[in-house]
């Protein structure tokens, strides 16, 4: 029997609410808001309360998928990255930089968000950067 | 307070009487629930008085129920205040926990907390630390009742209109254990609305808490909209007491909730 309460930060949005994940025998089974984290003081929104659910969800993507002949097909990271980079290049060449847009994410770190806007502005040449909440 | 609890838990763990103890622990500068399984872990055990008495309470009974469902043969200890003990008794009477598999370690709350909680019994039947404080009246209920019927309705409708439908009041509640929850059923409540259907959402929960709510106040503390839920459920508890002479968690756990048996209807 191994039951742990692990303090972490909610990954759904940028607020940064503190919560405990209850982990029973290696599976995350529940969420409890942390009372002493100043951002949320023991409160959460409906998404935060259910954040443990996506961790073991069978619907979760675990491999890259590429649509081939209309059907999503599993691909290696190498293939997926090559394909994405190739298409981005093609679209930019054909329609210009501003035909592309980049959506940053609340689920990743500040540094990763910095990188995506840098990539958009410096590598692709567009200011079309927005937040995942407007997806 | 902490030292007396630690000594008791140490004894229980060392003797093998319990497999683990649900208590609170300081972890990375925060206080949260923790399952203590070795006497060596106890240094960081706390009872949940960080800046004020009882300001970092958690639904330890709820965690205990989750664990006991997976390990029904094991005996676990749990830290209890008066309200938590009422919760345990209520969970026993609703067959959610087996009293033979639970060893409560009690603490009594100070007067300041008893008054802030408006708690009728701020101590468990037995406790290892703290001193018995006086029970306190439901002042908040009396305050709302002093309003005219019209302003009372307005007061509650305004409060409920703040709800962001996080379901936190239900999720934190130590005696909310149903597998299916009416608050999520579109047949009963328009769940797609925000605020949720007013006042049906809140009255539904209030009615479901009748004969169950043990007045711990955790829902109130978890509500991001600061809705005085505890006052509402205190009133519901008063009604059940008046009609059926029953308050969940105060009597013998073998006694069933009056809403769980088919008996005579109140005569009026
Ligand atoms: S409700 Fe009563 S027993 Fe529970 S924390 Fe408040 S004063 Fe203590
Ligand atoms: S006070 Fe709130 S959290 Fe506590 S038992 Fe009653 S409804 Fe549940
Ligand atoms: S905790 Fe408050 S905001 Fe959340 S559902 Fe309950 S009443 Fe509404």
């Amino acid at each position: 029997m191994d039951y742990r309460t692990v303090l972490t930060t909610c990954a759904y949005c940028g607020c940064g609410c503190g919560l405990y994940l209850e982990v029973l025998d290696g599976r995350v089974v529940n969420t409890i808001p942390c009372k002493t984290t100043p951002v949320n003081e023991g409160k959460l929104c409906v998404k935060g309360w259910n954040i443990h659910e996506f961790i073991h969800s069978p619907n979760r993507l675990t491999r890259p998928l590429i649509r081939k002949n209309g059907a999503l097909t599993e691909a290696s990271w190498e293939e997926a990255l090559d394909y994405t980079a190739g298409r981005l290049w093609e679209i930019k060449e054909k329609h210009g930089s501003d035909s592309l847009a980049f959506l940053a994410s609340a689920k990743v770190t500040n540094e990763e968000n910095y990188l995506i806007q840098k990539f958009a502005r410096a590598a692709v040449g567009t200011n079309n950067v927005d937040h995942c909440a407007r997806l | 307070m902490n030292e007396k609890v630690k000594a008791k838990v140490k004894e229980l763990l060392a003797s093998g009487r319990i497999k683990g103890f649900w208590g609170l622990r300081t972890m990375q500068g925060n206080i949260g629930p923790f399952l203590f399984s070795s006497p060596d872990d106890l240094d960081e055990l706390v009872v949940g008085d960080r800046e004020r008495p009882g300001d970092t309470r958690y639904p330890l009974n709820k965690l205990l129920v989750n664990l006991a469902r997976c390990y029904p043969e094991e005996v676990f200890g749990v830290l209890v205040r008066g309200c938590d003990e009422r919760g345990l008794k209520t969970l026993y009477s609703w067959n959610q926990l087996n009293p033979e598999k639970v060893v409560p370690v009690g603490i009594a709350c100070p007067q300041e907390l008893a008054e802030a909680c408006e708690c009728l019994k701020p101590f468990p039947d037995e406790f290892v630390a703290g001193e018995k404080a006086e029970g306190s009246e439901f002042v908040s209920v009396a305050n709302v009742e002093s309003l005219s019927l019209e302003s009372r309705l307005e007061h509650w409708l305004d409060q409920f209109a703040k709800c962001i439908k996080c379901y936190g009041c239900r999720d934190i509640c130590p005696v909310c254990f149903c597998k299916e929850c009416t608050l999520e059923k579109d047949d009963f409540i328009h769940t797609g609305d925000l605020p949720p259907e007013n006042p049906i959402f809140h009255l539904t929960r209030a009615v479901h808490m009748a004969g169950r709510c043990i007045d711990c106040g955790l829902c109130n503390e978890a509500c991001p909209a600061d809705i005085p839920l505890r006052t509402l459920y205190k009133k519901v508890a008063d009604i059940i007491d008046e009609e059926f002479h029953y308050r969940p968690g105060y009597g013998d756990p073998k006694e069933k909730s009056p809403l769980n048996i088919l008996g005579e209807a109140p005569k009026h």
Side-chain angles (χ1 to χ4, degrees), chain B residues 33-211:
Chain B
F34 187 78
L35 182 69
F36 295 87
S37 47
S38 149
D40 308 330
D41 289 342
L42 296 171
D43 284 350
E44 312 278 326
L45 182 144
V46 290
V47 297
D49 305 333
R50 197 193 205 198
E51 283 162 7
R52 277 169 295 109
D55 62 354
T56 42
R57 296 181 299 125
Y58 283 86
L60 295 174
N61 287 342
K62 194 154 197 155
L63 296 154
L64 173 63
V65 170
N66 290 345
L67 187 57
R69 280 194 185 136
C70 298
Y71 291 92
E73 298 307 321
E74 305 289 358
V75 177
F76 295 102
V78 60
L79 179 71
V80 297
R81 293 174 186 262
C83 50
D84 303 305
E85 184 191 62
R86 303 197 283 275
L88 283 182
K89 289 186 185 176
T90 304
L91 291 164
Y92 299 153
S93 76
W94 288 86
N95 296 323
Q96 298 300 310
L97 273 177
N98 177 354
E100 284 166 21
K101 302 289 180 194
V102 181
V103 179
V105 174
I107 55 170
C109 295
Q111 197 62 42
E112 178 190 348
L113 182 56
E115 278 160 29
C117 288
E118 303 177 353
C119 177
L120 297 178
K121 184 171 172 281
F123 47 85
D125 293 343
E126 286 173 31
F127 48 89
V128 297
E131 275 169 35
K132 254 190 203 183
E134 293 283 321
S136 170
E137 305 277 296
F138 291 175
V139 184
S140 58
V141 176
N143 286 345
V144 178
E145 285 190 327
S146 70
L147 302 172
S148 70
L149 206 51
E150 220 167 81
S151 353
R152 223 183 292 168
L153 178 64
E154 200 181 324
H155 164 76
W156 284 116
L157 290 176
D158 285 353
Q159 290 292 347
F160 298 158
K162 301 189 295 187
C163 177
I164 63 161
K165 207 178 58 173
C166 66
Y167 293 101
C169 45
R170 175 201 65 186
D171 291 347
I172 200 115
C173 176
V175 293
C176 265
F177 49 74
C178 303
K179 286 221 168 77
E180 281 188 69
C181 178
T182 309
L183 299 180
E184 290 179 13
K185 293 280 169 246
D186 250 329
D187 304 340
F188 296 104
I189 296 163
H190 299 300
T191 57
D193 300 337
L194 204 63
E197 203 176 355
N198 187 356
I200 295 302
F201 182 89
H202 294 274
L203 295 188
T204 302
R205 178 148 205 281
V207 169
H208 285 207
M209 285 298 109

Side-chain angles (χ1 to χ4, degrees), chain B residues 214-230:
Chain B
I214 44 85
D215 190 24
C216 66
L218 289 173
C219 50
N220 214 129
E221 291 180 16
C223 178
D226 277 334
I227 302 173
L229 297 166
R230 193 174 193 177

